[in-house]
Amino acid sequence: MAGTMPAKPKAAKSGEPVLLSSGNPRIAKGEGDAPVQAYIAAMPGWKSDIGRRLDALITRTVPGVHKAVKWNTPFYGVAGEGWFVAFHCMTKYIKLAFFRGTSLNPVPPVESKQREVRYFHIHEDDVFDEAQLAVWVQQASVLPGERL
């Protein structure tokens, strides 16, 4: 019908987080670990386990990492220095974004429309190298962060 607004996504049950059309959880923005853990808990299916692994890897690799949820996405950074990595649920994969990815060695494999950003995609049955992810996280954490 012309002039009607599309229906907003709805949670399956009262109190459950809303999933957007891509399957990404809609979580209120906030600073600290609590909103990030709420996002991870709301990630659908296999993605939640990967979210926990990514959060643990980042936290272990960068002790004292600053966390927040912005734009329905967990961000990780160094307080006062900006954000260096984030992840986001897509329909068929999780997109791990390194904001200064072109400065990492080796450069993460997926290009972005943004000059310095590079991505690493994780699909359901992927076996990925956590040691390589830790190297990228460590390298990214000492680069100038993104100020959002």
Side-chain angles (χ1 to χ4, degrees):
M1 212 186 234
T4 61
M5 297 293 291
K8 290 184 178 181
K10 294 184 180 182
K13 297 178 186 171
S14 179
E16 287 185 11
V18 173
L19 294 180
L20 302 172
S21 61
S22 66
N24 194 51
R26 180 185 289 171
I27 299 293
K29 69 179 181 175
E31 299 283 325
D33 188 54
V36 171
Q37 295 310 316
Y39 176 94
I40 291 168
M43 292 171 77
W46 62 270
K47 294 173 186 172
S48 187
D49 289 336
I50 299 296
R52 282 190 290 279
R53 287 173 59 191
L54 290 172
D55 181 70
L57 182 145
I58 295 166
T59 302
R60 183 174 59 247
T61 304
V62 184
V65 68
H66 182 69
K67 300 179 185 184
V69 170
K70 299 172 176 279
W71 305 288
N72 303 307
T73 302
F75 282 76
Y76 296 81
V78 176
E81 299 296 321
W83 307 105
F84 59 86
V85 70
F87 59 87
H88 190 87
C89 289
M90 306 304 286
T91 303
K92 296 184 179 184
Y93 60 92
I94 297 171
K95 178 184 282 194
L96 187 61
F98 292 96
F99 299 117
R100 300 284 181 258
T102 57
S103 297
L104 304 180
N105 184 18
V107 173
V110 183
E111 292 183 20
S112 170
K113 292 178 183 177
Q114 298 170 345
R115 188 175 61 85
E116 292 185 77
V117 175
R118 294 292 286 209
Y119 301 117
F120 183 78
H121 294 168
I122 303 170
H123 297 84
E124 182 172 8
D125 295 322
D126 286 353
V127 176
F128 56 92
D129 185 348
E130 286 194 26
Q132 179 59 67
L133 287 181
V135 167
W136 283 332
V137 166
Q138 177 58 41
Q139 290 175 11
S141 72
V142 298
L143 295 170
E146 187 69 28
R147 306 232 183 233
L148 303 171

